[in-house]
Amino acid sequence: MAHEQALLEDIKRLIKCGKYRIRIHAIRHMIEEGFNEEDIIEAVTGRSKILEDYPDEFRCLILGRFYFTDRAISPLHIVCEYPRNDLVDIVTAYIPQKPWWISPMKRGKIL
């Protein structure tokens, strides 16, 4: 747990400093699902948490939230890679949906 909290703080710091890259898979989801780069930043740097950590792959899944409209908040999953200590890759980002996710924190059907 302490490792995940420290990792999340490092990722937040790098993203706040603009030391990140958004990969094409994330861009595809942005276009298809209607969110943007600022929404990803808001979701990661706000009240977020690591749902899954894959330290052998230097990758983690973060759950955050962003304002989809002035009154509607949406969950957002962000997969980050962190093989370097000076840059984060945002591999993908997506709004968790059924059947793959039962809720933003619980996996559903695996295809």
Side-chain angles (χ1 to χ4, degrees), residues 2-12 50 53 60 82:
H3 161 75
E4 289 181 359
Q5 191 58 40
L7 173 59
L8 183 58
E9 292 305 317
D10 286 344
I11 290 171
K12 286 182 177 192
I50 293 179
D53 186 22
C60 65
Y82 51 90

Side-chain angles (χ1 to χ4, degrees), residues 11 23 57-60 79-84 87-91:
I11 290 171
R23 298 300 190 181
E57 300 173 21
F58 299 99
R59 190 181 269 217
C60 65
V79 176
C80 294
E81 280 186 349
Y82 51 90
R84 298 170 40 178
L87 184 70
V88 173
D89 280 325
I90 297 171
V91 177

Side-chain angles (χ1 to χ4, degrees), residues 21-28 81 87 89-92:
R21 298 182 293 200
I22 297 181
R23 298 300 190 181
I24 192 71
H25 198 258
I27 293 169
R28 191 189 93 205
E81 280 186 349
L87 184 70
D89 280 325
I90 297 171
V91 177
T92 193

Side-chain angles (χ1 to χ4, degrees), residues 96-103 106-111:
Q97 299 176 38
K98 293 180 181 178
W100 303 277
W101 291 89
I102 294 170
S103 74
K106 185 171 178 166
R107 282 194 182 270
K109 184 177 185 178
I110 298 176
L111 300 175

Side-chain angles (χ1 to χ4, degrees), residues 3 6 10 21 29 41 45 53-54 65 76 85 87:
H3 161 75
D10 286 344
R21 298 182 293 200
H29 280 282
I41 304 311
T45 60
D53 186 22
Y54 313 104
R65 290 174 168 69
L76 191 66
N85 62 2
L87 184 70

Side-chain angles (χ1 to χ4, degrees), residues 1 4-5 8 12 43-44 46-52 60-65 76-78 105:
M1 185 71 171
E4 289 181 359
Q5 191 58 40
L8 183 58
K12 286 182 177 192
V44 173
R47 258 184 51 194
S48 59
K49 66 186 289 182
I50 293 179
L51 287 183
E52 299 172 359
C60 65
L61 170 63
I62 297 172
L63 168 62
R65 290 174 168 69
L76 191 66
H77 284 177
I78 305 100
M105 295 184 64

